[in-house]
Amino acid sequence: MKWIQVKNYTEMSQLAARIMTEKIAEKPNATLGLATGGTPEQMYRWLREYSAERQLSFRDVQTFNLDEYIGLGREHPNSYYQYMRTHLFAHIDLPEAHAHLPNGLAADVNAECLRYEALIEQAGGIDLQLLGVGKNGHIGFNEPGTPFTSRTHLVQLTESTRAANACYFSSLEAVPTHAITMGIATITKSKEILLLASGREKANVLAELMRGEVTEELPASVLLNHANATIIADEDALAFSIVAKRK
Ligand code: PGA
């Protein structure tokens, strides 16, 4: 795994957006794996800007988001579909039928998970998967202890994850208790992975990751064995890792 240290959130966002833009320039029908959360917000803004500057089209791109809350439909203001609409989809020419997220209202959740996996396969697999990382090392909604062999599945959100996301809802109670998430094996099948981390609140988890132990107790550590994974992290996120990194 490659580590890239950048100065701050803006540099992280710009570099990630350049890599995403380059992927679309290189492969106009690329399949992109997308993430939500605070971390990639500014990256999406730069992606819109850089792709517009280069007059790149998303017409033939397909996107697959990591996860979606159970119980929230696409039109719900807190659904990840709405997040994506706000930050990316409304601003680009990606056909609506090419923007995939798990269906949080599916009557049969298991069938929905299988459908999502099959769709990714049909699209030829994910060329470039964007990830954030939780303070506990989760990727997608795969919390510590999730098997590395997991595929898209139903998860019960941990209290710490619900609390971390409560700022987007009217109250903690309003945060859904379950979600559908790509599994860890779904994520690691991606040809290339880009994990972004910014801010002091990620410093502990990156220091853990830098110790180099691959364990299901730290889901992001699976990336240490991936052939083409890069972490772009800013100085704050690497505050406790720099010494180890230079060893
Ligand atoms: P954040 O979430 O980008 O809002 O910090 C990251 C994650 O939990 O994966």
Side-chain angles (χ1 to χ4, degrees), residues 135-151:
K135 282 183 273 190
N136 62 0
H138 73 207
I139 49 175
F141 274 132
N142 295 290
E143 302 291 0
T146 307
F148 283 167
T149 52
S150 55
R151 295 306 183 110

Side-chain angles (χ1 to χ4, degrees), residues 36-40 131-135 138-140 161 164-165 168 201-202:
T36 51
T39 307
L131 294 176
V133 62
K135 282 183 273 190
H138 73 207
I139 49 175
T161 295
N165 291 342
Y168 300 109
E201 59 172 16
K202 302 295 166 67

Side-chain angles (χ1 to χ4, degrees), residues 185-213:
T186 319
I187 293 170
T188 52
K189 264 193 104 181
S190 307
K191 298 175 189 90
E192 186 177 351
I193 297 177
L194 201 54
L195 183 144
L196 308 184
S198 169
R200 199 51 86 102
E201 59 172 16
K202 302 295 166 67
N204 280 323
V205 72
L206 290 201
E208 269 298 300
L209 205 53
M210 204 166 270
R211 287 179 49 227
E213 191 194 344

Side-chain angles (χ1 to χ4, degrees), residues 69 80 135-136 138 141 143 156-178 201:
Y69 289 115
Y80 284 151
K135 282 183 273 190
N136 62 0
H138 73 207
F141 274 132
E143 302 291 0
Q156 179 164 9
L157 303 178
T158 61
E159 283 317 299
S160 76
T161 295
R162 290 184 69 233
N165 291 342
C167 58
Y168 300 109
F169 289 81
S170 54
S171 65
L172 177 60
E173 291 68 44
V175 182
T177 55
H178 291 78
E201 59 172 16

Side-chain angles (χ1 to χ4, degrees), residues 11-218:
E11 276 192 14
M12 179 203 77
S13 307
Q14 289 176 333
L15 179 58
R18 285 199 190 286
I19 293 169
M20 300 276 284
T21 306
E22 207 46 56
K23 178 59 70 188
I24 300 163
E26 221 177 79
K27 187 172 180 190
N29 63 345
T31 303
L32 303 177
L34 301 179
T36 51
T39 307
E41 276 186 18
Q42 205 188 98
M43 191 286 301
Y44 288 124
R45 185 156 69 72
W46 291 108
L47 175 60
R48 280 149 46 191
E49 195 156 319
Y50 296 155
S51 55
E53 257 168 29
R54 294 177 62 173
Q55 299 185 319
L56 294 177
S57 174
F58 286 76
R59 200 177 42 230
D60 298 321
V61 168
Q62 297 222 50
T63 65
F64 287 89
N65 268 79
L66 283 167
D67 40 26
E68 181 59 281
Y69 289 115
I70 289 284
L72 305 191
R74 282 189 160 207
E75 298 311 318
H76 191 285
N78 289 118
S79 70
Y80 284 151
Y81 182 79
Q82 286 302 317
Y83 171 105
M84 291 309 306
R85 180 136 87 189
T86 303
H87 295 288
L88 188 65
F89 298 160
H91 311 274
I92 58 173
D93 65 345
L94 179 79
E96 203 174 325
H98 290 195
H100 308 285
L101 286 91
N103 176 6
L105 293 182
D108 182 340
V109 173
N110 284 333
E112 174 58 12
C113 294
L114 292 173
R115 182 192 73 89
Y116 203 63
E117 284 285 327
L119 266 183
I120 295 172
E121 288 284 317
Q122 276 163 31
I126 291 169
D127 292 305
L128 177 57
Q129 174 70 56
L130 183 72
L131 294 176
V133 62
K135 282 183 273 190
N136 62 0
H138 73 207
I139 49 175
F141 274 132
N142 295 290
E143 302 291 0
T146 307
F148 283 167
T149 52
S150 55
R151 295 306 183 110
T152 301
H153 62 289
L154 172 70
V155 285
Q156 179 164 9
L157 303 178
T158 61
E159 283 317 299
S160 76
T161 295
R162 290 184 69 233
N165 291 342
C167 58
Y168 300 109
F169 289 81
S170 54
S171 65
L172 177 60
E173 291 68 44
V175 182
T177 55
H178 291 78
I180 294 177
T181 183
M182 279 187 199
I184 294 186
T186 319
I187 293 170
T188 52
K189 264 193 104 181
S190 307
K191 298 175 189 90
E192 186 177 351
I193 297 177
L194 201 54
L195 183 144
L196 308 184
S198 169
R200 199 51 86 102
E201 59 172 16
K202 302 295 166 67
N204 280 323
V205 72
L206 290 201
E208 269 298 300
L209 205 53
M210 204 166 270
R211 287 179 49 227
E213 191 194 344
V214 177
T215 161
E216 289 179 350
E217 290 314 308
L218 187 68

